[in-house]
Structures are given as structure tokens and as C-alpha cells.
Amino acid sequence: MNKHHGMKGLSGLEKLCEPGVQRSDRFGRLFPELPPLYTNPESLIAISVGGGPMQQQGSAKKTDEVAVGQVFFGQFIDHDLTLDLTSSFERLNDAQATTNFRTPTLDLDCIYGDGPEGSPFLYFNLPDSDPNSSFNGIKLLTGADMAGATPEQAEDLLRNANGTAIIGDPRNDENRVISQLQLAVIRVHNRVVDILAGSSSPSHELFEEARRVTTWLYQWVIIHDFLPAMTGQAVVDDILGNGRKIYMAHCEEGDEPFIPVEFSVAAYRFGHSMIPQRIQVQPGKPAVDVFGPSLGQGFSPLPSLDAAVNWTQVLDLSDPKVDRADQLDIEMAKDLLALPFVNGTPAEKSLATRNLLRGQAFRLPSGEQIAKVCERHQSEIDSVSARAETLAQQVGVSLASGTPFWLYLLAEAQVVGRESTPGQFKQGEGLGPVGGRLVAETIIGIMELDHEAFLGSNRRWTPSEDGFNVTGLLDLLTL
């Protein structure tokens, strides 16, 4: 490109890895040299508010190959990676000045807290006379460990007298499915402890080994099950085989992982489009509203055994009766555009509006700008832009200046679709080429830059090396 006065070519993504540019405890940017998009906030609200063009009409279209449980697992992963307590969509936010209160690694700190010494309230601490006291500081507590636990308490997280869950991240109690997922992973750790202990006497080394194995099994299913389902096997294979092109592609030894705002504020919020209005969490039982009294009332004890999640029922794709996720497109379930637990204006109650306004507050580039850097064909970019523009025109507004990145990724998933095998795309089944690469590269890059993750420390490892037959998420949660 010819350089004229006031024009500057993209100098390269290697600048992201210069000392002092990125910190692991701060959010950062993948595309710092791209211009931020500004859209009239009233236009963003008109597009995304409840009752508007983003609200599902009629029966939701379902994916063929994405079980509904995977969507909530994605939320669990998000809580493991990020916690932003300071930014707001009511003001401009500086990514590198915004603290991430979670470690930007997939280390299950939401399960383990600060470990037995830093978070002793999460672990067994039984009197010496108790036969299970040998697992003190090794096993994690659940509601089943309460004295005189009721059947409902036995299928719930450990809670205090006020019903507050005693867990490493309080957000993992914000709805019933995520709290049951937190419980399931705690049980996985305890099961791994039993298997590794065998007939040996438990020790502190056993805790560390069980934590490593549990964390690596979790990372394994992210790489080999979750990412292929959401971003496409072809994209995952290309990154693992040919390296990263976007996320810290030119890093030096010692560089630390970080969370890009393009990931946290936009790309990884794709799952909001895939959450159904109703799901069935137990075989033979009726489906219930995701935000209804059974599943949606978080931060409270399990109301009944009917609200306990059967993981086979929400993850086993071999069963045609198992709920699939909604297709990934520019429509969302009506309750997500009018959150029943939020008080405020229609805009404040819409999750879609929040996403769009937050993206603008973080000065994200348009989807078109990012797609060009990702070297997507102009004809593909034009078709995605046209789909978003058609949506906007339904409420008399225009996106001529560019499509907000989050909305662009939803439209891309609908127009282009997920690349399951090289060159073969399936519309609505998962993220498209830009969204899929950004999400997969970020998550894989985080593992590769973490010397305690299996991809960053032992790339020959498989679950069978530690004696576990785990290939996917269902295997893990039913261990």
C-alpha cells in the first residue's frame, strides 16, 4: 500500500510482545493500531433491545452437533479466565488499565481458590477421629459433607447458614446449571484423589498431583471437545499444526499470557446467541425456562432434586432427545433481551445491548477492520456486513460506518458458519472463520504460554498416561 501523509501501514502484531506492553494481570489488545468504531448508541439500543430484530421469532433453530451443556461449560471457562470489576459501558475503558482479577490461565482457580493453605474453608478439615481425616487439605468440600445433609444438600455446593455457596468464584452460583457444573468439577477432583491414592496414605503431594491431573483433564477436553464444537476442528488443527497468527504470534521466551479485550468483550460472548429459552436437565422430565425459578434463581440452595443436572442429558449427542444449543446467529432467546432478574430500562435489561455498548466503551474496531487483518476475502466480508445491515434497517438505522465486532461475529456465524473440515463450512453450527480463529487462538495460546498447562510443559501428555479414559466433557463430568 502506498503511504501518503497521515497514512501508516500495520507494523505487525509482534509489538504485542514487547516488554511492558502486555501484563498478565491486565487486559490487552490484539489490534491496537486499528481505528475504533463509533456507532450512535441509540442505534445500538434499537437493534438489540427486547422486542427488536435480534429477538427470536417462532421456534428456535437448533444446532446439529453442539449439546446445550457445552454452552454453559463455555461460561465456566470464562469465569476461570476473566473477572473485570472496574470497567463500565457508560465510559471509555483503557484495556491495559483494566485489572483482570482472575489469573489469565486455565488453572481452575475458581475451584481451588488459593489452595488448602490460602483457602482452607474449601477443603476437608475433619477431626482426627473421623476416618476421612486423612484427606484433610486434599479433598474439596461439597454439600454432601454437611452434618445431616438433606438429599437436596447432598446434590448441591457447600453453603453457609445464609445459603451462600462456599466456592472459589461466587459467579459460579449465578444460575443452577453453572453451580451444578462447579459441583461436578469439585467431584472430579475428589474422584481423582481417590484413584491416585489407591491404597497409599494420602499426603500433601497427593493434593498437588490430583490438582495437576484434574486441571490437565479439564484443559484436554477444552482442546479436544469444546473448541472443535464451537470454533471448528479445521481451525483447531491449523493452529496446533501451523501456529498462531493473531494471539501473540511473535513472542519471546518468558512472555506471559493475557486476555485480549477483543476476546473478552466481544468474541467470547458468542454463547449468548446459543442459549435456549428452555432446556431439559433430567431424562423424562419436562424442559424448564433457563431463567425460571428452577434453573435461573442463582445464589441460593438447590430448591429440589428436579433442579439437579444430569450431565448425560445435556451432553450426550448420541441421544436424539438431548437438547442441542440454539444456532449461532444474530437472534437471541427473548429472556436474554429482557433479563428477568435485572431492574432498569429495557436497554439495561438486554444482554445484547450490554454487549454492544461495552464493545464501544472499549473502543473495539469494527468487524470489517478485523476481518481484513485476518485476510478474509472482501466478498465474504461484504456478505457478513450485508446481513448485519439488513438487521439494522429493520429499525431504520444504518451500520454504514462498520459493524460492531460482536454483532459481526454473530452474522459471520450465520452467513459463513463453522469450518469443521478444511474448506467445509456449516452455517449456524458455531463461530465463523474470524470469530473461530480469535477464540481458538486465544485459548490455545493461553495454554501454550502457561508453563503449568500441559501444552506449555508436556506436549506428549494424554489422559491415558495418568490412567484416565477421558476424551470429552461428558467423560470428565461423569468420571
Side-chain angles (χ1 to χ4, degrees):
M1 179 180 70
N2 293 327
K3 294 183 179 179
H4 301 284
H5 179 69
M7 298 183 66
K8 182 181 179 182
L10 186 62
S11 61
L13 298 178
E14 68 275 9
K15 286 189 174 294
L16 289 171
C17 299
E18 291 177 355
V21 173
Q22 303 292 1
R23 288 175 49 181
S24 62
D25 65 340
R26 296 287 191 273
F27 291 89
R29 293 187 184 275
L30 295 177
F31 311 102
E33 296 190 34
L34 292 182
L37 172 68
Y38 175 80
T39 307
N40 186 332
E42 292 182 351
S43 297
L44 297 179
I45 293 171
I47 291 169
S48 57
V49 77
M54 290 192 71
Q55 182 169 310
Q56 284 177 352
Q57 302 297 323
S59 299
K61 300 181 291 293
K62 297 292 183 178
T63 60
D64 295 324
E65 303 168 359
V66 183
V68 69
Q70 293 278 11
V71 180
F72 290 94
F73 185 56
Q75 182 184 19
F76 181 87
I77 294 170
D78 176 55
H79 290 178
D80 193 20
L81 287 173
T82 67
L83 176 57
D84 172 12
L85 298 175
T86 60
S87 71
S88 168
F89 50 72
E90 296 179 349
R91 64 173 188 270
L92 291 178
N93 296 288
D94 182 352
Q96 293 181 354
T98 303
T99 301
N100 180 13
F101 289 88
R102 271 281 168 261
T103 55
T105 53
L106 292 159
D107 59 359
L108 289 177
D109 56 347
C110 57
I111 296 292
Y112 293 108
D114 292 324
E117 295 182 358
S119 303
F121 49 87
L122 300 177
Y123 296 85
F124 271 42
N125 185 22
L126 301 168
D128 292 340
S129 58
D130 192 300
N132 288 316
S133 62
S134 57
F135 290 106
N136 284 347
I138 299 174
K139 283 190 173 183
L140 290 154
L141 293 164
T142 72
D145 299 305
M146 297 177 62
T150 66
E152 290 78 13
Q153 288 172 327
E155 295 298 326
D156 198 2
L157 298 167
L158 180 69
R159 297 180 182 274
N160 65 16
N162 294 321
T164 301
I166 304 174
I167 54 178
D169 188 333
R171 294 175 298 168
N172 282 356
D173 192 33
E174 66 186 19
N175 64 65
R176 191 65 56 204
V177 181
I178 198 72
S179 72
Q180 288 279 292
L181 189 49
Q182 174 88 6
L183 174 65
V185 178
I186 291 173
R187 287 172 166 173
V188 169
H189 166 84
N190 290 344
R191 177 59 178 154
V192 170
V193 168
D194 287 335
I195 293 172
L196 295 181
S199 58
S200 303
S201 298
S203 63
H204 178 72
E205 289 73 21
L206 174 61
F207 167 75
E208 294 297 342
E209 181 66 0
R211 179 174 184 167
R212 178 194 65 78
V213 171
T214 302
T215 303
W216 284 12
L217 291 173
Y218 161 67
Q219 294 168 356
W220 180 269
V221 302
I222 292 173
I223 294 290
H224 295 281
D225 190 7
F226 175 77
L227 284 181
M230 298 300 188
T231 70
Q233 187 67 58
V235 175
V236 174
D237 290 345
D238 183 66
I239 296 168
L240 294 175
N242 300 310
R244 289 173 273 118
K245 301 175 182 177
I246 299 173
Y247 181 84
M248 299 180 77
H250 306 280
C251 296
E252 302 293 336
E253 187 72 23
D255 282 320
E256 297 181 344
F258 75 100
I259 303 298
V261 289
E262 298 91 342
F263 172 87
S264 63
V265 176
Y268 202 67
R269 296 177 182 239
F270 72 90
H272 296 163
S273 168
M274 304 181 80
I275 298 174
Q277 180 73 20
R278 298 168 62 82
I279 61 173
Q280 182 183 2
V281 296
Q282 291 187 10
K285 299 291 180 66
V288 294
D289 286 336
V290 170
F291 291 110
S294 179
L295 296 184
Q297 303 302 311
F299 307 110
S300 61
L302 188 74
S304 73
L305 292 179
D306 287 341
V309 176
N310 180 299
W311 294 110
T312 300
Q313 176 60 37
V314 297
L315 286 171
D316 186 5
L317 287 173
S318 67
D319 185 350
K321 296 181 181 179
V322 166
D323 283 339
R324 270 56 172 174
D326 283 4
Q327 284 192 10
L328 181 48
D329 54 28
I330 58 175
E331 293 186 353
M332 293 172 61
K334 65 177 183 178
D335 276 0
L336 274 76
L337 302 183
L339 295 169
F341 51 83
V342 174
N343 295 320
T345 66
E348 291 169 335
K349 293 168 71 70
S350 169
L351 191 55
T353 302
R354 289 167 172 251
N355 290 343
L356 292 173
L357 293 178
R358 188 172 295 279
Q360 181 145 294
F362 271 97
R363 293 172 288 193
L364 295 186
S366 69
E368 290 86 354
Q369 291 278 357
I370 294 176
K372 290 175 183 177
V373 173
C374 293
E375 300 180 341
R376 301 309 302 173
H377 294 298
Q378 188 61 49
S379 59
E380 175 185 291
I381 297 173
D382 291 342
S383 64
V384 175
S385 300
R387 182 65 189 93
E389 181 67 14
T390 300
L391 174 82
Q393 289 178 355
Q394 293 182 46
V395 287
V397 301
S398 175
L399 298 176
S401 59
T403 306
F405 187 39
W406 176 70
L407 183 61
Y408 183 93
L409 297 183
L410 301 189
E412 180 191 55
Q414 183 174 4
V415 172
V416 184
R418 187 191 69 186
E419 188 178 11
S420 300
T421 58
Q424 299 296 316
F425 296 86
K426 189 169 183 179
Q427 295 173 335
E429 200 69 21
L431 283 162
V434 174
R437 178 162 291 277
L438 196 152
V439 167
E441 281 204 16
T442 299
I443 290 178
I444 291 172
I446 283 169
M447 290 195 213
E448 290 182 329
L449 292 169
D450 176 13
H451 69 275
E452 294 186 355
F454 85 89
L455 277 183
S457 62
N458 182 2
R459 292 172 74 90
R460 58 163 284 181
W461 180 84
T462 65
S464 61
E465 185 172 314
D466 282 309
F468 292 88
N469 182 25
V470 171
T471 59
L473 181 57
L474 181 58
D475 295 332
L476 179 69
L477 299 185
T478 56
L479 187 62

